[in-house]
Amino acid sequence: MAMVMTTNILTPKQSGQGGWAIEMTPQMAHEAGVAEGSVILLHFNAGTLAAEIFPPADEATKRSVQQSIDKFGEAFAEMKRLGD
């Protein structure tokens, strides 16, 4: 596999579970043979850095999450305000 230098920088986001999430570029998804919109989750595991690829959520899952946010959004905001 040839390495291509680019000026684009992938910025990981803290996942909240002791890891970091990186949204895959379309080129990365193509090279990995996964769906565009997939996410790489990086986390430490027994002294090594492990990576897992998660596919994008389907529409039913997105709707379910939105329903939960709509129903419990104020409670989620209060839990976030109070902290872990």
Side-chain angles (χ1 to χ4, degrees):
M1 176 167 78
M3 294 295 289
V4 176
M5 296 302 292
T6 179
T7 58
N8 295 337
I9 297 174
L10 298 174
T11 305
K13 298 173 187 168
Q14 190 75 37
S15 73
Q17 301 294 319
W20 298 268
I22 300 173
E23 294 179 30
M24 295 179 80
T25 65
Q27 180 182 0
M28 291 168 68
H30 176 74
E31 289 288 328
V34 298
E36 286 189 24
S38 293
V39 174
I40 301 171
L41 181 64
L42 302 173
H43 55 92
F44 291 105
N45 182 12
T48 63
L49 184 63
E52 296 178 72
I53 298 175
F54 291 90
D58 60 26
E59 289 305 314
T61 301
K62 289 178 185 179
R63 281 192 304 276
S64 176
V65 168
Q66 188 58 54
Q67 288 173 347
S68 295
I69 291 169
D70 293 344
K71 186 173 182 177
F72 301 110
E74 290 180 24
F76 294 153
E78 181 67 6
M79 287 187 284
K80 185 175 182 179
R81 186 186 72 74
L82 294 173
D84 294 334

